[in-house]
Amino acid sequence: MKLNISFPATGCQKLIEVDDEQKLRPFYDKRMAQEMTAESLGDEWKGYFVRISGGNDKQGFPMKQGVMTHTRVRLLLSKGHSCYRIRRKGERKRKSVRGCIVDANLSVLNLVIVKKGENDIPGLTDTTVPRRLGPKRAGKIRTLFNLTKEDDVRQYVVRRPLPQKEGSKRHSFKAPRIQRLITPQRLQRKRHNLSLKRRRVAKNKEQAAEYAKILAQRQKEKRDAALKRKRSASTRDSHRESTAK
């Protein structure tokens, strides 16, 4: 079985192959996300603690968290599930996945070091791989460099150098476009949108008042017309009574 071990503190990753069944036996019947000691792998791993993050069986099917078995099962997966990527909106598909319990049928087991031991592991804990990309969001840049709101975030963007072209002496860099950055243009646009909103509210109030005025006038005219018809009808009735006498 191969062990794919990563150390997030240095960004390094190492793939080792273990053929001794005695070294692998402590990992059997353990579940994903379970932490355990790695001392069974050898003396150089004394004091190390690892977390099981996943694995693949000999046919390449991945382990899935929450499936409490050590065999392979077929599940109906949809958007949001691990081990599946949708191709169309609303798509569901029945896929074969391996359970979250470790056994001897795995070909690769993924481990993450959560606690470093006494000795360094060559190629894993003794070297550091720098991050290729820095943070993109303005708040995360402030957190990384411990900035205040008065500091200009644009001066602290992590720029990565681009490969130099042949025959060119100029060094070019590439920086990410900062997200959620508050600029004078953004504040001006916000003020403009607020002013438009106030104008719309004032215009709606004026139109509502004008409509209420017209409605009241129409109702008054309607009442006057009805009263006029009633008066004329009563006048006709009284005239008829007088002529009949």
Side-chain angles (χ1 to χ4, degrees):
M1 185 188 293
K2 293 180 181 178
L3 299 180
N4 189 13
I5 306 171
S6 62
F7 190 34
T10 60
C12 293
Q13 188 172 336
K14 191 175 182 179
L15 185 67
I16 61 175
E17 189 162 359
V18 181
D19 296 327
D20 190 0
E21 189 74 17
Q22 297 296 328
K23 293 182 179 180
L24 297 173
R25 196 174 297 278
F27 292 97
Y28 292 165
D29 296 330
K30 297 290 191 302
R31 297 207 302 257
M32 284 176 61
Q34 199 166 350
E35 296 181 3
M36 57 175 297
T37 180
E39 293 181 359
S40 62
L41 299 176
D43 295 335
E44 66 272 13
W45 293 92
K46 187 176 181 181
Y48 279 85
F49 280 84
V50 295
R51 184 181 74 247
I52 301 172
S53 60
N56 294 76
D57 63 4
K58 294 176 182 177
Q59 286 74 35
F61 293 100
M63 296 174 66
K64 182 170 174 60
Q65 179 68 289
V67 182
M68 298 298 177
T69 180
H70 58 82
T71 58
R72 196 187 305 164
V73 295
R74 284 176 61 81
L75 300 177
L76 187 64
L77 304 178
S78 60
K79 183 180 179 181
H81 288 137
S82 60
C83 308
Y84 177 63
R85 179 173 62 90
I86 64 167
R87 266 69 174 181
R88 298 180 63 183
K89 185 177 179 181
E91 183 185 48
R92 297 189 303 168
K93 199 168 186 180
R94 196 169 292 280
K95 304 280 286 185
S96 293
V97 293
R98 173 71 57 174
C100 67
I101 300 175
V102 180
D103 68 346
N105 293 322
L106 296 178
S107 64
V108 181
L109 185 65
N110 301 328
L111 304 174
V112 179
I113 297 175
V114 294
K115 182 182 178 184
K116 185 182 174 184
E118 302 170 358
N119 303 322
D120 280 332
I121 307 298
L124 191 61
T125 59
D126 57 349
T127 57
T128 302
V129 177
R131 286 183 60 183
R132 179 176 168 270
L133 300 176
K136 185 179 176 74
R137 193 184 299 173
K140 292 190 175 181
I141 297 174
R142 288 193 184 97
T143 305
L144 179 64
F145 294 102
N146 198 16
L147 305 177
T148 61
K149 290 190 175 181
E150 287 75 24
D151 295 324
D152 190 4
V153 181
R154 291 171 288 187
Q155 304 297 326
Y156 294 88
V157 180
V158 178
R159 303 174 186 272
R160 62 182 180 91
L162 295 176
Q164 196 171 359
K165 295 181 180 179
E166 295 182 2
S168 176
K169 296 182 179 179
R170 192 174 125 193
H171 296 278
S172 54
F173 295 87
K174 192 170 185 179
R177 185 182 178 206
I178 304 175
Q179 301 294 320
R180 302 185 187 180
L181 181 65
I182 305 300
T183 60
Q185 184 182 8
R186 176 73 187 92
L187 295 174
Q188 182 183 0
R189 191 181 300 122
K190 188 175 181 180
R191 288 194 298 269
H192 178 64
N193 291 336
L194 286 174
S195 66
L196 289 178
K197 188 175 181 181
R198 290 194 199 99
R199 288 179 204 166
R200 284 198 301 269
V201 170
K203 185 179 178 181
N204 290 339
K205 283 185 178 180
E206 290 177 4
Q207 290 178 347
E210 187 176 351
Y211 176 74
K213 185 177 178 183
I214 293 173
L215 192 64
Q217 185 179 357
R218 295 273 174 86
Q219 289 177 349
K220 185 175 180 297
E221 291 174 356
K222 191 175 180 181
R223 284 196 303 269
D224 292 345
L227 188 61
K228 188 176 181 181
R229 285 196 301 271
K230 190 175 181 181
R231 284 176 180 173
S232 62
S234 63
T235 305
R236 283 197 302 270
D237 292 341
S238 61
H239 182 67
R240 285 174 188 169
E241 290 175 0
S242 62
T243 54
K245 289 179 181 180

